[in-house]
């Protein structure tokens, strides 16, 4: 038994999981709050769909990618709980500062610093959980952790729908930022206890960990295929940043109505997706020769047609809300399995660094490029006089997820072969 066993935060993996899930809710609330105010911010600052896509995509993800490559490997060397606390203070302060933005440029700077703060969180949190939950329990634990995404997304919509009308988008940013700064006390109740085998590698600012990561990528084809598949399916989600605009402009919903109704749908579908993704991932780990990656291939084979059909369903109908629920479920379902598989494919000593690599691929190459591609395409369609520009752009973007299926199949096959050799 380790020397921290007497403290609940160290001895109970479930208390650790619950606290990290709570912080992840705050993480995604602050990250996605701008998306929830797409109509208000676009009107207030006079920016285009392309510029808004940059704010929610490249302005965040570009900085995030660089920051996580520098800061993510630090979680394999230093106290992960302290890194989480510092990052939470930074991203919360910059969320509050976003409320003072007077121009597109001001928001670009604020979003960049939000990205720097959040770059410390996921590598530290997921490697902590990876140490405490092993094998066929890891996917479920990661699924519970990733409840932060749908709950945080819904909290951001609820905040926009209920606080926005009274204190505006600026006041909402300030309030949530202040809450986050206070919440930075939470990581101080957690202790970072590493397993004996997780030997730390020395190197300036994680340089040794990055070298080890590239060496692992060269010799581990299943990890390369997994990262490519993850990038493609998250690219297909990039256009979702325009969902609120689509509901208002082309499906006839009022702004507050869309925020509240679809906040509930995204909450229910996202929670179901996080739990189902973790459970299916653990089942795939036990039952399928290709493990979690093969399970992901089957999931997207079933989900991709529904993602496309959703855009053409008649609004305000029962069928529309049912398919919207399934679409919300599909957004979150891959993350637990992808991150659990990545930690299984990589050496334990660089678990946080591998998590950082997953996040670079999904955030920068996936979500950010998906945002930009959809924004550019929609602006082009608007310029040509299309009356369904948002629908068309979102359909083509969502269909990209089908390209991830063969990547997950290849990852599963390579993993299965490696299992036979060892």
């Amino acid at each position: 038994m380790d020397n921290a066993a007497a403290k609940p935060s160290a001895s109970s993996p479930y208390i650790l999981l619950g606290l990290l899930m709570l912080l992840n809710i705050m993480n995604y609330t602050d990250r996605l709050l701008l998306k929830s105010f797409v109509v208000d911010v676009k009107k207030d600052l006079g920016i285009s769909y392309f510029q808004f896509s940059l704010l929610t995509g490249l302005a965040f993800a570009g900085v995030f990618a660089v920051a996580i490559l520098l800061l993510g490997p630090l979680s394999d060397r230093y106290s992960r709980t302290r890194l989480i606390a510092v990052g939470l203070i930074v991203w919360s302060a910059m969320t509050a500062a976003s409320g003072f933005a007077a121009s597109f440029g001001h928001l670009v700077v604020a979003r960049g610093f939000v990205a720097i703060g959040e770059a410390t969180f996921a590598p530290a949190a997921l490697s902590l959980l990876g140490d405490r939950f092993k094998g066929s329990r890891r996917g479920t634990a990661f699924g519970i952790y990733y409840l932060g995404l749908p709950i945080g997304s819904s909290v951001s919509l609820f905040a926009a729908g209920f606080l926005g009308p009274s204190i505006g988008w600026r006041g909402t940013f300030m309030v949530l930022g202040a809450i986050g700064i206070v919440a930075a006390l939470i990581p101080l109740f957690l202790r970072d206890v590493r397993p004996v085998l997780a030997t730390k590698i020395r190197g300036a600012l994680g340089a040794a960990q990055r070298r080890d990561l590239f060496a692992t990528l060269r010799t581990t084809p299943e990890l390369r295929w997994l990262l490519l598949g993850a990038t493609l399916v998250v690219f297909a989600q990039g256009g979702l940043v325009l969902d609120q605009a689509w509901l208002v402009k082309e499906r006839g919903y009022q702004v507050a109505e869309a925020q509240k109704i679809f906040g509930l749908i995204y909450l229910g579908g996202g929670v179901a997706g996080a739990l189902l993704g973790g459970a299916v991932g653990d089942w795939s780990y036990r039952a399928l020769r290709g493990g979690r990656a093969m399970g992901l291939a089957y999931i997207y084979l079933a989900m991709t047609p529904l993602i496309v059909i959703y855009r053409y369903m008649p609004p305000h109908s029962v069928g529309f809300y049912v398919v919207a629920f399934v679409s919300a479920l599909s957004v979150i379902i891959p993350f637990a399995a992808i991150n659990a598989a990545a930690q299984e494919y990589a050496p334990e000593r660089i678990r946080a660094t591998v998590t950082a690599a997953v996040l670079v691929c999904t955030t920068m190459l996936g979500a950010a490029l998906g945002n930009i591609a959809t924004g550019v395409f929609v602006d082009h369609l608007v310029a040509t006089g299309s009356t369904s520009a948002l629908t068309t752009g979102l359909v083509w973007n969502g269909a990209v997820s089908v390209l991830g299926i063969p990547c997950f199949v290849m990852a599963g096959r390579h993993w299965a072969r490696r299992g036979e050799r060892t």
Side-chain angles (χ1 to χ4, degrees):
M1 183 176 295
D2 59 56
N3 58 8
K7 294 203 173 186
S9 62
S11 62
S12 173
Y14 298 101
I15 292 177
L16 173 67
L17 175 58
L19 292 174
L20 291 177
M21 184 193 72
L22 176 61
L23 295 180
N24 202 28
I25 291 171
M26 303 184 68
N27 173 27
Y28 280 104
T29 298
D30 291 350
R31 183 184 303 190
L32 300 174
L33 188 60
L34 190 62
K35 170 186 170 182
S36 301
F37 277 113
V38 54
V39 176
D40 303 274
V41 173
K42 186 176 180 296
K43 179 181 178 181
D44 192 3
L45 299 182
I47 59 179
S48 67
Y49 285 120
F50 172 65
Q51 287 177 304
F52 190 82
S53 295
L54 286 178
L55 284 173
T56 54
L58 192 60
F60 177 90
V63 178
F64 184 84
V66 174
I68 204 167
L69 283 173
L70 293 174
L71 301 177
L74 297 183
S75 294
D76 285 319
R77 294 182 56 193
Y78 301 114
S79 169
R80 292 171 285 191
T81 54
R82 292 179 184 177
L83 287 170
I84 290 172
V86 171
L88 179 53
I89 291 172
V90 171
W91 92 60
S92 297
M94 290 301 103
T95 296
S98 299
F100 295 97
S103 68
F104 171 74
H106 290 166
L107 267 184
V108 167
V109 173
R111 292 292 289 175
F113 279 101
V114 170
I116 291 173
E118 292 191 2
T120 64
F121 180 64
L126 287 171
S127 64
L128 277 167
L129 293 176
D131 287 346
R132 304 305 297 274
F133 293 90
K134 304 295 184 181
S136 61
R137 293 196 305 154
R138 185 174 289 152
T140 299
F142 282 14
I144 293 171
Y145 165 83
Y146 269 109
L147 288 173
L149 200 166
I151 296 176
S153 178
S154 297
V155 169
S156 73
L157 285 168
F158 293 148
F162 290 100
L163 295 179
S166 57
I167 62 176
W169 71 269
R170 298 178 182 278
T172 305
F173 271 83
M174 295 175 196
V175 167
L176 294 185
I179 292 172
I181 293 173
V182 174
L185 293 172
I186 292 177
L188 300 181
F189 293 95
L190 305 176
R191 293 190 62 183
D192 186 354
V193 180
R194 297 180 188 270
V196 175
L197 294 177
T199 304
K200 291 184 282 186
I201 311 170
R202 295 299 174 184
L205 285 177
Q209 285 83 1
R210 287 190 292 275
R211 287 195 298 270
D212 204 356
L213 169 65
F214 295 133
T216 300
L217 287 170
R218 285 194 299 270
T219 59
T220 314
E222 58 266 41
L223 183 57
R224 296 197 300 269
W225 281 111
L226 181 76
L227 291 177
L228 179 58
T231 300
L232 289 168
V233 298
V234 177
F235 181 98
Q237 300 175 10
L240 297 179
V241 69
L242 300 179
D243 251 16
Q244 288 294 301
W246 173 70
L247 290 166
V248 173
K249 301 288 186 181
E250 297 184 12
R251 287 297 178 267
Y253 288 87
Q254 297 298 313
V255 174
E257 179 189 22
Q259 290 167 338
K260 293 173 184 177
I261 292 176
F262 287 87
L264 287 171
I265 290 174
Y266 294 155
L267 175 60
V271 168
L275 296 176
L276 183 61
V280 170
D282 284 344
W283 174 83
S284 301
Y285 177 85
R286 296 189 300 267
L288 298 181
R289 185 169 178 270
R292 301 184 201 275
M294 197 63 71
L296 284 167
Y298 290 136
I299 286 171
Y300 276 96
L301 191 62
M303 289 288 185
T304 301
L306 294 174
I307 294 171
V308 174
I309 290 170
Y310 168 49
R311 301 299 173 182
Y312 295 107
M313 295 288 292
H316 301 281
S317 66
V318 173
F320 181 75
Y321 292 125
V322 170
V323 181
F325 179 87
V326 175
S327 178
L329 184 149
S330 72
V331 172
I332 185 63
I333 204 169
F335 290 104
I338 287 170
N339 282 280
Q343 294 202 7
E344 288 154 9
Y345 297 168
E348 190 175 58
R349 64 185 179 275
I350 56 167
R351 183 169 284 159
T353 306
V354 169
T355 299
V358 173
L359 290 168
V360 168
C361 290
T362 55
T363 304
M364 178 62 187
L365 302 179
L369 293 184
N371 283 355
I372 292 171
T374 309
V376 170
F377 189 35
V378 169
D379 278 341
H380 167 72
L381 292 174
V382 170
T384 62
S386 173
T387 58
S388 58
L390 287 163
T391 299
T392 303
L394 291 170
V395 164
W396 279 101
N397 183 261
V400 172
S401 62
V402 74
L403 300 177
I405 295 172
C407 299
F408 292 135
V409 170
M410 292 300 296
R413 287 181 176 177
H414 280 288
W415 184 74
R417 292 169 187 163
R418 184 176 298 274
E420 289 176 356
R421 288 197 298 273
T422 58

